């Protein structure tokens, strides 16, 4: 399993640039739906994040650019929902 590097606001995979990130220990307010996004196209991922964050009841708690990073973030962040690209690397 790849090593991870943590700080107070992000979780990043040491093996590659920006393959997974998200708030560590985030606790969104009651009633919000916590969403994890995973897609290998970073531009698409950021557009999707912006679109989802416009919705008042949705909070993006993390993003991943490969399947392994997505699985690790699901374990770490316990999102309510995940939007996944089923054809991305390491899935």
């Amino acid at each position: 399993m790849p090593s991870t590097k943590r700080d107070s606001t992000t979780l990043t995979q040491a093996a590659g640039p920006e393959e997974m990130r998200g708030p560590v220990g985030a606790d969104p307010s009651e009633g919000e739906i916590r969403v994890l996004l995973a897609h290998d196209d970073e531009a698409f991922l950021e557009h999707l994040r912006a679109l989802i964050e416009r919705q008042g009841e949705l909070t993006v708690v993390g993003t991943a650019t490969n399947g392994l990073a997505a699985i690790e973030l699901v374990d770490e962040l316990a999102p309510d929902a995940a939007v996944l690209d089923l054809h991305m690397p390491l899935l």
Side-chain angles (χ1 to χ4, degrees), residues 39 47 59 85:
H39 199 285
H47 287 291
T59 301
D85 170 7

Side-chain angles (χ1 to χ4, degrees), residues 38-39 83-89 91:
H39 199 285
V83 178
L84 305 173
D85 170 7
L86 295 179
H87 300 287
M88 70 181 155
L91 185 63

Side-chain angles (χ1 to χ4, degrees), residues 20-23 33-39 45 48-49 52 59-67 69-75 77-85 88:
M20 62 185 200
R21 53 185 188 268
I33 299 169
R34 303 172 72 241
V35 181
L36 172 73
L37 306 177
H39 199 285
L45 193 60
L48 184 58
R49 174 194 278 270
I52 287 175
T59 301
V60 176
V61 294
T63 62
T65 58
N66 70 54
I71 291 167
E72 289 178 2
L73 282 177
V74 165
D75 287 341
L77 302 173
D80 298 313
V83 178
L84 305 173
D85 170 7
M88 70 181 155

